[in-house]
Amino acid sequence: MTAKYKPFDKAEWLRLEKKADELRRLCLQTAIWGGSGHIGGALSSMDVLTILYHRFMSLDKNNPEWEDRDRFVLSKGHGAVGYAPVIVDYGFMPIEELQIFNLTGSKIGMHLDSNKVKGIDFSTGSLGHGISLGVGAALAAKMKGKDYMTYVLCGDGEMNEGSNWEGIMSAAQYKLSNLVVFVDNNKCMIDGRVEDVMNIEPIDKKFEAFNFNCVRVDGHNFKEMDTAIEAAIKNAKTGERPTAIILDTFKGEGVDYMRDNYLWHYGALDEQKAADAFASLDKYYQERVARVEEEGK
């Protein structure tokens, strides 16, 4: 069971960097095992998944249905090639299940089924449903007098869906301060750049207009995310508004030839591409550690 989070210091920052690096590598390996996957959006969201699962969320890997656990909804459900490694690494499922990712007979598919994958609270597939699911979980907590948090991770392209805005409006109506909506704002979607397909900016101002507390941060900076999430948790106890955290990220973050390239919304890695990707992650991790050494003084 995850204990109450520690103060965010240099050691904690470095611990999160190491875990995010491990999970990015496991994400790539999962895509290799399965033959393909939605790699770009998985890599852009890996940092927020890392800080939630390895710093903030209260969970029990030995009791996945613990009533007082925090809830998480992966609204951008196609990001399972990144989310499944997080679940397996945390201890909910054995690594052997990941090694047959999306293959015949596997419990872990391209979209995660909560009836088959331990640690998954909600099955998601069609985009635009996650916020409404999160509203239901957060409202249930309020009605039952429970303290658990509900976190929802959406994609920026997904914000094209009108059903999201119905959920957002409902969250504000019911004063669900225990709900946090993250938008993985990597600015790319399957058909191109979000601003060209259906521009969502200014996304932060839109959430504010729907009566959310909203903050915009670098989604690849643990220090900025830590401050935003701590404020959201504090707000859950004292405020009346839900929180939105806009994560400015890059598609394929960590792999140089994938970064900010919408063509890597979905893809496969041959032997050379895999070697180049892991080499790029080596360099990327060193750069991230160097930033901590400089900014974490």
Side-chain angles (χ1 to χ4, degrees), residues 200-274:
I200 64 170
E201 296 291 357
I203 186 65
D204 49 350
K205 300 303 181 185
K206 289 174 181 175
F207 270 100
E208 289 173 359
F210 276 72
N211 210 28
F212 268 61
N213 294 322
C214 188
V215 62
R216 195 162 193 152
V217 302
D218 179 349
H220 302 306
N221 187 313
F222 285 122
K223 186 175 183 179
E224 290 189 18
M225 287 191 289
D226 177 80
T227 299
I229 296 170
E230 283 199 33
I233 293 172
K234 181 178 180 180
N235 171 71
K237 296 179 173 61
T238 61
E240 293 189 339
R241 295 184 179 187
T243 295
I245 300 176
I246 312 303
L247 305 168
D248 285 319
T249 61
F250 289 97
K251 199 93 163 179
E253 179 74 357
V255 178
D256 50 12
Y257 64 83
M258 295 183 189
R259 190 176 193 267
D260 203 29
N261 184 350
Y262 77 87
L263 295 176
W264 276 99
H265 176 83
Y266 184 90
L269 299 172
D270 59 23
E271 187 174 346
Q272 187 58 57
K273 283 187 173 67

Side-chain angles (χ1 to χ4, degrees), residues 68-121:
D68 294 323
R69 71 191 183 281
D70 289 334
R71 270 60 167 180
F72 177 79
V73 185
L74 183 68
S75 190
K76 45 176 286 182
H78 53 287
V81 73
Y83 186 30
V86 173
I87 291 295
V88 168
D89 176 78
Y90 198 87
F92 284 112
M93 296 283 284
I95 189 69
E96 288 78 15
E97 291 291 344
L98 206 58
Q99 292 168 348
I100 54 172
F101 174 78
N102 206 44
L103 303 181
T104 302
S106 174
K107 293 180 180 178
I108 300 179
M110 197 65 72
H111 291 265
L112 301 185
D113 185 339
S114 61
N115 293 312
K116 297 178 180 179
V117 184
K118 292 181 181 180
I120 301 296
D121 290 317

Side-chain angles (χ1 to χ4, degrees), residues 17 67 198:
E17 294 289 358
E67 187 176 355
M198 184 63 69

